[in-house]
């Protein structure tokens, strides 16, 4: 049972435009959501997070939106840069379970 | 400050063999988690250790095991290797209690190939 889903395996965006990566979840007990970025041959790096009591969190070019009623979160990157080309994973946790559950990832390609 | 160190980076093993992977967390981090990454499956949780105690385990067969030492270094072991065990194995450490909004710091992973 995939509790965290990223239904788009890949996304291509022109440099300077907005990239929107989506993630859906099924477990209403999740209370923290995170986004990670992964380059080939490297481990994932933490990007941004949001707790379930908020609906938006912004950090520079990255903004995460959470829609609890729809069990949906999204990551917006504005403006997109070629260096943003990577695989992006969303993850969720239910505090007390000592783990994060990751989606399958979306490969973003930003075209120069 | 040194990051999370995983050794070895690459490993080729034969079906039926066993393998041990090592992870040194960031200094001061007491929680170590392990994940398996395969194409199309994302990151699958293996287990989490804190102060030498396994606090959670994912849905993997008993061939997958791990442990944590008193210095927080961790090892995971896979016995009787199968072709499907070929994957990138990622270790992550955390200072704050796992499950909050700080996330982990991941190592670069060990790429295991079973032939």
């Amino acid at each position: 049972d995939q509790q965290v889903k990223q239904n788009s395996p890949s996304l291509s965006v022109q440099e300077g435009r907005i990239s929107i990566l989506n993630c859906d979840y099924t477990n209403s007990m999740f209370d923290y959501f995170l986004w990670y970025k992964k380059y080939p041959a490297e481990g994932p790096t933490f990007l941004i997070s949001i707790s379930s009591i908020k609906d938006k969190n912004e950090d520079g070019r990255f903004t995460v939106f959470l829609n609890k009623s729809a069990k949906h979160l999204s990551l917006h990157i504005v403006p997109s840069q070629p260096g943003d080309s990577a695989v992006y994973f969303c993850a969720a946790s239910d505090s007390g379970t000592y783990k994060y559950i990751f989606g399958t990832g979306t490969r973003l390609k930003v075209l120069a | 400050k040194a990051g999370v160190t995983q050794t070895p980076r690459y490993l080729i093993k034969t079906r039926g063999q066993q393998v041990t992977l090592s992870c040194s967390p960031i200094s001061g981090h007491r929680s170590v988690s392990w994940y398996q990454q395969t194409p199309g499956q994302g990151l699958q949780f293996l287990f989490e250790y804190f102060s030498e105690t396994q606090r959670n385990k994912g849905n993997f067969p008993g061939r997958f095991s791990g442990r944590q030492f008193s210095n927080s270094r961790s090892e995971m072991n896979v016995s009787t290797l199968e072709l499907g065990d070929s994957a990138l194995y990622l270790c992550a450490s955390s200072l704050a209690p796992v499950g909050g909004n700080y996330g982990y710091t991941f190592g670069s992973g060990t790429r295991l190939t079973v032939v």
Side-chain angles (χ1 to χ4, degrees):
Chain A
D1 176 30
Q2 192 73 24
Q3 297 186 62
V4 178
K5 300 177 185 178
Q6 294 177 257
N7 293 317
S8 298
S10 64
L11 174 69
S12 291
V13 171
Q14 287 291 330
E15 180 180 7
R17 308 293 287 266
I18 184 172
S19 295
I20 300 176
L21 297 101
N22 295 303
C23 181
D24 298 296
Y25 63 96
T26 58
N27 188 342
S28 58
M29 298 298 292
F30 288 147
D31 49 7
Y32 287 101
F33 304 88
L34 302 89
W35 284 93
Y36 280 82
K37 176 170 72 174
K38 185 179 185 301
Y39 294 119
E42 295 181 13
T45 54
F46 172 74
L47 262 181
I48 191 169
S49 66
I50 188 168
S51 84
S52 59
I53 63 173
K54 295 188 174 183
D55 54 19
K56 176 183 174 181
N57 188 26
E58 194 171 351
D59 183 2
R61 297 187 297 114
F62 302 91
T63 303
V64 56
F65 295 91
L66 176 62
N67 182 333
K68 284 177 61 180
S69 60
K71 294 190 176 68
H72 177 84
L73 68 156
S74 60
L75 175 69
H76 293 209
I77 306 173
V78 184
S80 301
Q81 300 172 353
D84 296 329
S85 298
V87 177
Y88 289 78
F89 292 96
C90 66
S93 76
D94 169 10
S95 296
T97 62
Y98 309 116
K99 68 177 182 181
Y100 298 101
I101 297 175
F102 284 79
T104 52
T106 297
R107 182 176 302 277
L108 173 66
K109 184 179 285 188
V110 180
L111 307 170
Chain B
K1 192 174 185 180
V4 178
T5 303
Q6 290 188 248
T7 55
R9 287 296 307 274
Y10 302 93
L11 206 49
I12 299 175
K13 289 285 189 180
T14 305
R15 265 185 307 176
Q17 288 186 312
Q18 75 162 18
V19 66
T20 299
L21 311 181
S22 179
C23 172
S24 294
I26 289 173
S27 178
H29 285 195
R30 294 166 65 189
S31 170
V32 174
S33 300
W34 289 88
Y35 283 82
Q36 180 196 64
Q37 185 190 5
T38 54
Q41 293 296 315
L43 279 70
Q44 301 289 312
F45 174 75
L46 280 156
F47 19 67
E48 190 264 359
Y49 288 90
F50 182 87
S51 293
E52 304 177 66
T53 300
Q54 185 183 88
R55 298 194 296 187
N56 201 347
K57 188 178 190 305
N59 296 324
F60 280 82
R63 301 184 297 106
F64 290 81
S65 63
R67 59 179 175 168
Q68 186 181 34
F69 301 96
S70 58
N71 62 357
S72 294
R73 190 177 71 84
S74 178
E75 290 181 347
M76 67 163 282
N77 183 276
V78 188
S79 62
T80 319
L81 283 166
E82 301 177 359
L83 294 179
D85 297 333
S86 295
L88 179 67
Y89 289 88
L90 291 160
C91 168
S93 74
S94 173
L95 177 61
V98 175
N101 63 343
Y102 294 101
Y104 305 121
T105 300
F106 280 92
S108 297
T110 294
R111 171 74 62 187
L112 172 65
T113 302
V114 182
V115 297

